[in-house]
Amino acid sequence: MNKNQPNTLPPEYFDHVYQANRDPWNFETSPYEQAKYAATVAALPHPQYVEAFEVGCSLGVLTAKLAPRCGHLLAVDVSEAALAQARQRCADFPQVDLQLLRVPDEFPSQEFDLIVVSEVGYYWSEGDLARAAQLLIGALRPGGQLLLVHWTPTVHDYPLTGDYVHEHFLAQVGDNGPLRHLVGQRQETYRLDLLERVEKP
């Protein structure tokens, strides 16, 4: 946890970032990002997911790669500027529903077979991460999967680190926990963990 930035970053933070640069993290052009997206999609064990939810979709680059694997994909972000680009990019995917939504203060009411939280968890405060985790795990159908992918180096602006986010979810794995751990990968600057909601007998 970053004691210098204990609060969740507000939507205005991201609006300013996108106003200054339409692709501030080089999602569209970075070979690193493209390789990470390929690893993200490759980590999914099922060929199709009926209902999927992507938190923090940004420009929709990963969204467009997830879409062919989803019957319906709800992708949300806190920045309208980012969503405008995502809508253009995903225009050929009628199964993609892009919405302005601020998790955990706002949350969909449905259940999902797949939830993707990629490069977003460290923007939450410690308290909001705990709230979001409870909601996300609760929204998984039995056997539903939660895919986490996050940059691991510390960023001064961000309340949390990627490792903190993943360890918070991994603490829900165990004999009596709601999750099981299916896949764990650690690269030089990011980590990926795939979790599954335990089907209670």
Side-chain angles (χ1 to χ4, degrees), residues 62-145:
L62 178 58
T63 314
K65 296 179 185 302
L66 292 169
R69 303 282 293 273
C70 304
H72 177 254
L73 172 58
L74 172 61
V76 305
D77 203 273
V78 299
S79 170
E80 186 55 58
L83 285 168
Q85 293 190 59
R87 290 189 183 100
Q88 290 183 330
R89 178 168 286 105
C90 298
D92 292 334
F93 297 109
Q95 72 270 43
V96 174
D97 179 13
L98 290 149
Q99 293 185 20
L100 187 70
L101 199 75
R102 186 177 183 180
V103 176
D105 293 338
E106 301 167 303
F107 202 84
S109 58
Q110 68 203 85
E111 292 186 326
F112 300 96
D113 306 288
L114 172 67
I115 297 176
V116 177
V117 181
S118 177
E119 308 295 6
V120 67
Y122 41 57
Y123 297 133
W124 287 318
S125 67
E126 193 174 15
D128 278 350
L129 171 64
R131 290 170 57 212
Q134 185 176 23
L135 289 166
L136 291 165
I137 293 169
L140 281 173
R141 290 173 175 155
Q145 294 171 348

Side-chain angles (χ1 to χ4, degrees), residues 23-71:
D23 185 9
W25 291 281
N26 299 315
F27 292 145
E28 296 174 327
T29 58
S30 162
Y32 161 80
E33 292 293 345
Q34 297 308 310
K36 187 184 66 179
Y37 293 146
T40 299
V41 176
L44 298 174
H46 300 323
Q48 281 285 307
Y49 294 84
V50 177
E51 289 286 345
F53 180 34
E54 182 190 6
V55 182
C57 65
S58 185
L59 310 179
V61 181
L62 178 58
T63 314
K65 296 179 185 302
L66 292 169
R69 303 282 293 273
C70 304

